[in-house]
Amino acid sequence: MSLSAVTSTHKLPDMSRVPTVDEVGVNERVARFQTRSIKSASKVEALKLILSMIDLTTLEGQDTPGKVRQLCQKALHLHDAMPGLPHVAAVCVYPTMVKVAKKALGNSGINIASVATAFPSGQAPLSVKLDDTRMAVAEGANEIDMVISRGEFLAGNYGMVFDEIVAIKDACGDAHLKVILETGELGTLDRVRQASELAMHAGADFIKTSTGKIQPAATMQVTLVMLQAIRDYYAATGRMVGMKPAGGIAHSKLAIHYLVMLRETLGKAWMTPQWFRFGASSLANDVLMQIRKQATGVYQSADYFSKD
Amino acid sequence: MATPENKLAFDGGWQYSPAPESTDHVSIRKKYELFIGGEFVAPVQGKYFDTINPATEERLSRVGLASAGDVDKAVKAARKAYAGWSRLKPAERGKYIFRIARMLQERSREFAAIESLDGGKPIRESRDVDVPLAAAHFFYYAGWADKLEYAFPGRKVKPLGVAGQIIPWNFPLLMAAWKIAPALACGNTVVLKPAETTPLTAMKLAELIADAGVPPGVVNIVTGAGETGAAIVNHPGVDKIAFTGSTDVGRIIQKALAGSNKKYTLELGGKAANIIFADAAIDQAVEGIVNGIFFNQGHVCCAGSRLLVQESVAGAVIQKLRERMETLIVGDPLDKNTDIGAINSKQQLETIRSYLAIGQEEGAEMFQSSCPIPKRGYWCRPTIFTGVSQSNRVVQEEIFGPVLAIQTFRTFDEAVTKANNTPYGLSGGVWTDKGSKIFKMTQSVRAGVVWANTFNKFDPTSPFGGYKESGVGREGGMHGLDAYLKLEA
């Protein structure tokens, strides 16, 4: 399929006019978020909100249908010992596992996210990426996490990267598109800002930091720059775009810092799973442990929480 | 540009629960006498005054009102101690100052809480800025004590004698450190007067200095208002005056010292321009505006109280600033999440309010954040004025509160002209992505400190002081030693 076949009203922004980012200032702002002290009722509320925003993820070469079924079981039964907990937002798997997840989750309300477009490297022809995407959607994925072609982006071929996103968004149909910038490969916050603008203008429903396969994965600095890009895009167009930091957020305390940052950058409209997600595999259990601690006053052994 | 329907909402939703710093570990005496000759002694006339918590309007303690007679006792105690202190082996002097620094770190929690109780500043700032910086100043000057000759190669250095030091209410402990540390390192003894609304951390410092075993009379602390200060300035036994405070009082002091042999440094008011070019990193610049004017309720002599923003980005900057202001939390200074605490005193609140009225009467457009504020205590919401020019009083005069006057400029030269068109010259800020523009601007703005792509950054190694009506002399760094030494060939 040729790119010209894609009809779109999207327009590539002028990359030279994208606002610059001062890294020192970003570090200071992030440090300030981390001084917020979140206690008692607001902590419990935050922990539950975090649970509801998690994309429970397994993206390993060694994944099997059995492993994916385990993960779905975990998504459905986070910690039945504590009633009243929200369920996670989605389960995130490779396209070949979408069918398994679909069957396991049924109509539980938990979304199925699938990475596509030759995740994690993105090193494949567009035709393969489009087939990958269509297959995942056809099997039942309602969210697609794509990767951008970082090599092309870094080489300055913005038009190519832009057209790819437009084409994949088109192939997604009704499925939501999350665009992974793989910020660990972009090198500077200025490029993170540029890639964010490019992805949003190309039609991304969400922008996402990382695949989790490259270090550093999500950082608060990178996420702040992306949130600021979302805010400016919203101011200019009126369209809300979601945010998903992924990789490296394993603890409740850090996740709460992210929520503080979200609240003070984009405000309350974004404080829902519809507009903010955590891509994480081990975060859920730490959050559960903290919720339990808030309720009982003592930490329980990690062995009381299922590890899937 | 944002349209009104695309505004962000920061009210409602997930809120932060109160997170107050505990005060269980804080001890404040019911009454503080004067610290003279290493002991707490009652004021001669037996008079005391209240120091209150500006967040609750409740009395925290009573402190002695020092008369001219008390000041005389303090100066004599300092003179007596000078003989020994100035001849002490410099490395030994350094040891005492290092000890003060370490003990300040050890007691930092208590100092931070008292600074917030007595002055109204948020605990986040007293904990993360005031107390650590005060300790850093003692550490820094302790290191100089036995190296003074190396600071001034080829010169002989001698202490001045007794230094009279008068400090303001905006950074009570930090200003005490700025004054005491270099004076002691250079071999002088001091008589220090804290501001009448914020004497408590100075009195705690007096306790600490006594506990540190500093020889009696090396540091004397007398409390009181303007008359006590005048008694220090006019005392014939004082060799040097160091004053930080308003330009009006600075003028009176300079007059009083004219013709005397007293050396002096004055650190006075300011009306700094924070200049934002269109090529700046805008989001970080907005943060810099916030740090520049809302830090410490705007009670900062070097506050960035005038914003000059290049007109092509003015709309975007003001919109972002308004949104950022909506996320600032005004309230209980002891709450760890508070961004803006209480205004220091009723009198200062009235001054700020009078300027809010003046700004509006002059036709400026005023915007204040919509945050709730407590019923009791002295509070002012973060405020910006737009539609003002160089002729507006809110642009010309130092308000010393969380009030920002915003103007636009078109060219580099226009920015410089406006920035310098003020009787003050203490600080300035420039925000741009171009290094060459930073250098050109820092050379063009007549101010003691010009920050580039940041604001309100302090370090003991860096000299601080003003041009024009912002003061005389420098404090901090090697320059700060010069103010407490006689240099001989």
Side-chain angles (χ1 to χ4, degrees), chain A residues 152-167:
Chain A
E152 299 291 342
F153 178 82
L154 292 169
N157 298 329
Y158 303 125
M160 186 268 174
V161 180
F162 183 86
D163 290 346
E164 240 183 24
I165 299 171
V166 172

Side-chain angles (χ1 to χ4, degrees), chain B residues 99-259:
Chain B
R99 197 180 297 159
I100 294 172
R102 284 197 306 272
M103 288 174 69
L104 199 49
Q105 286 184 322
E106 284 161 15
R107 301 183 190 181
S108 59
R109 264 189 88 198
E110 187 183 19
F111 272 92
I114 295 177
E115 199 73 316
S116 286
L117 283 167
D118 201 20
K121 66 173 64 198
I123 187 78
R124 184 181 58 78
E125 290 176 7
S126 39
R127 179 195 65 200
D128 296 347
V129 182
D130 291 66
V131 178
L133 258 183
H137 270 267
F138 281 111
F139 274 117
Y140 174 74
Y141 281 111
W144 272 119
D146 59 354
K147 304 172 193 73
L148 296 172
E149 280 111 36
Y150 301 97
F152 304 97
R155 314 283 291 276
K156 275 189 189 143
V157 296
K158 282 188 178 166
L160 300 172
V162 175
Q165 307 179 319
I166 300 163
I167 58 171
W169 45 260
N170 56 344
F171 294 94
L173 179 69
L174 181 59
M175 288 302 107
W178 275 35
K179 300 283 187 267
I180 295 173
L184 297 195
C186 294
N188 305 279
T189 56
V190 306
V191 175
L192 175 110
K193 185 193 88 66
E196 64 270 29
T197 61
T198 55
L200 290 186
T201 45
M203 298 325 288
K204 293 300 285 189
L205 184 63
E207 289 176 354
L208 184 151
I209 284 169
D211 292 347
V214 175
V218 170
V219 176
N220 304 276
I221 300 180
V222 293
T223 41
E227 284 182 26
T228 312
I232 294 174
V233 169
N234 296 321
H235 197 289
V238 169
D239 302 294
K240 139 105 193 175
I241 292 293
F243 171 76
T244 297
S246 71
T247 295
D248 288 343
V249 176
R251 273 200 200 95
I252 297 169
I253 291 174
Q254 208 169 10
K255 269 184 200 155
L257 295 178

Side-chain angles (χ1 to χ4, degrees), chain B residues 262-274:
Chain B
K262 291 173 194 169
K263 216 173 160 172
Y264 60 91
T265 43
L266 306 173
E267 201 269 273
L268 310 175
K271 191 75 183 177
N274 206 358

Side-chain angles (χ1 to χ4, degrees), chain B residues 62-76:
Chain B
R62 294 172 62 71
V63 293
L65 180 63
S67 63
D70 297 304
V71 169
D72 185 55
K73 275 169 68 180
V75 173
K76 283 183 175 141

Side-chain angles (χ1 to χ4, degrees), chain B residues 306-374:
Chain B
R306 290 186 293 149
L307 176 65
L308 298 175
V309 54
Q310 202 154 20
E311 66 182 352
S312 61
V313 293
V317 168
I318 293 166
Q319 175 63 25
K320 281 168 186 276
L321 178 60
R322 283 172 168 229
E323 285 176 349
R324 178 72 178 93
M325 286 164 69
E326 290 294 348
T327 67
L328 292 170
I329 301 169
V330 181
D332 180 8
L334 284 178
D335 193 300
K336 291 168 195 156
N337 292 326
T338 293
D339 296 308
I340 298 179
I343 299 301
N344 187 267
S345 65
K346 193 174 181 192
Q347 190 190 357
Q348 186 57 28
L349 181 60
E350 278 161 11
T351 303
I352 295 167
R353 283 187 177 152
S354 76
Y355 276 108
L356 298 186
I358 289 166
Q360 292 175 90
E361 278 161 27
E362 286 182 334
E365 190 189 328
M366 184 171 89
F367 169 81
Q368 291 189 308
S369 73
S370 59
C371 62
I373 52 175

Side-chain angles (χ1 to χ4, degrees), chain A residues 52-186:
Chain A
S52 76
M53 290 171 161
I54 289 176
D55 283 3
L56 210 54
T57 303
T58 185
L59 296 169
E60 302 294 335
Q62 59 191 342
D63 284 352
T64 57
K67 164 80 185 170
V68 171
R69 273 193 291 272
Q70 275 180 39
L71 193 76
C72 293
Q73 181 70 11
K74 171 80 178 174
L76 291 165
H77 304 279
L78 276 175
H79 194 61
D80 290 345
M82 289 195 72
L85 293 177
H87 62 67
V88 296
V91 163
C92 184
V93 294
Y94 270 115
T96 48
M97 297 296 162
V98 168
K99 196 186 252 176
V100 180
K102 173 89 178 160
K103 194 175 168 205
L105 293 172
N107 49 9
S108 61
I110 297 173
N111 285 332
I112 299 166
S114 179
V115 295
T117 71
F119 180 96
S121 73
Q123 295 285 17
L126 179 61
S127 58
V128 172
K129 293 180 180 180
L130 289 171
D131 283 346
D132 203 15
T133 306
R134 288 197 195 98
M135 183 249 177
V137 174
E139 299 274 292
N142 33 25
E143 300 178 0
I144 296 295
D145 291 23
M146 71 166 283
V147 290
I148 64 165
S149 300
R150 283 87 73 189
E152 299 291 342
F153 178 82
L154 292 169
N157 298 329
Y158 303 125
M160 186 268 174
V161 180
F162 183 86
D163 290 346
E164 240 183 24
I165 299 171
V166 172
I168 288 161
K169 169 71 181 165
D170 192 60
C172 283
D174 291 336
H176 271 214
L177 177 65
K178 305 193 197 108
V179 178
I180 303 171
L181 309 181
E182 195 64 302
T183 53
E185 290 187 341
L186 297 185

